[in-house]
Amino acid sequence: MKEHEVKLTLQETEQLCRLYMDCELTVLEETELQYVLGKLPYSSPCIDEVRTLMGLTIPPAAIMKKKKTFDFLKNRTIVSIAASFSVLLAVGVALLSNQRFDGSSASNDDTNVYIAAYSHGECLYGTEAVASTNIAMAKADSLMKYASLTEHEYMMKAGEIISKTTNN
């Protein structure tokens, strides 16, 4: 008696398992599915659940596939941890060296507050950076006050228009 070598794809096997779960298979088809699941190395949540319900064990080939995936994830995790550690180490060394971006060491006056500021495309350090930042903040405050006053004026005008239309 010659056996037929028919290979089911993962999707076809999952479809059969879903039909089994919905009680759509005949007794003969269930028996054939049980035989197929005992031979095929496929593994998915649906297939594994049907195997458990049928009392089958996972074929050795499927176990090996899962183990290789786990090893890959474990190696990737180790590399990620090592990369994170090296980045933290580099940042720590840079902070502990107490060096500014231009190579000179920082003193204990106001220059520790501002590392650098950019004005018109030029990088400024120290007191120039502080002065430039203060000027920019003063301009921003002035703009905000102007916007607030303008909004208040428009609200007053809108109130007057509304009161005139309701009185007429």
Side-chain angles (χ1 to χ4, degrees):
M1 186 168 158
K2 188 175 184 180
E3 286 189 26
H4 297 290
E5 193 67 31
V6 178
K7 286 283 187 180
L8 294 173
T9 65
L10 176 64
Q11 291 78 18
E12 291 170 338
T13 307
E14 286 181 338
Q15 180 62 33
L16 285 171
C17 289
R18 282 190 286 276
L19 290 171
Y20 172 81
M21 297 293 282
D22 294 336
C23 300
E24 299 283 329
L25 299 179
T26 65
V27 174
L28 178 63
E29 290 169 335
E30 287 180 9
T31 306
E32 290 174 345
L33 178 62
Q34 186 176 6
Y35 175 78
V36 167
L37 289 180
K39 299 291 182 185
L40 289 177
Y42 300 141
S43 179
S44 74
C46 179
I47 293 172
D48 293 341
E49 185 177 352
V50 171
R51 276 193 182 116
T52 304
L53 290 173
M54 290 182 167
L56 297 173
T57 58
I58 299 174
I63 294 171
M64 293 303 289
K65 279 186 179 180
K66 283 186 179 181
K67 187 173 188 225
K68 286 180 184 176
T69 304
F70 176 73
D71 288 342
F72 171 72
L73 292 176
K74 188 169 80 172
N75 290 340
R76 197 162 129 195
T77 302
I78 290 170
V79 169
S80 298
I81 290 170
S84 299
F85 180 73
S86 64
V87 167
L88 288 174
L89 182 66
V91 169
V93 167
L95 290 175
L96 290 176
S97 68
N98 199 18
Q99 294 289 317
R100 289 191 345 185
F101 291 115
D102 63 354
S104 62
S105 63
S107 62
N108 288 331
D109 57 359
D110 266 349
T111 57
N112 282 341
V113 176
Y114 298 94
I115 294 174
Y118 284 88
S119 176
H120 304 291
E122 182 182 340
C123 186
L124 305 173
Y125 294 100
T127 55
E128 289 178 335
V130 172
S132 176
T133 304
N134 289 338
I135 291 169
M137 291 299 290
K139 286 180 181 178
D141 287 341
S142 173
L143 179 64
M144 291 300 292
K145 286 178 186 175
Y146 175 75
S148 177
L149 290 174
T150 305
E151 178 187 23
H152 183 68
E153 284 179 27
Y154 283 121
M155 292 300 286
M156 294 300 288
K157 287 180 183 178
E160 289 174 10
I161 292 171
I162 290 172
S163 68
K164 285 181 182 179
T165 57
T166 56
N167 290 338
N168 289 334

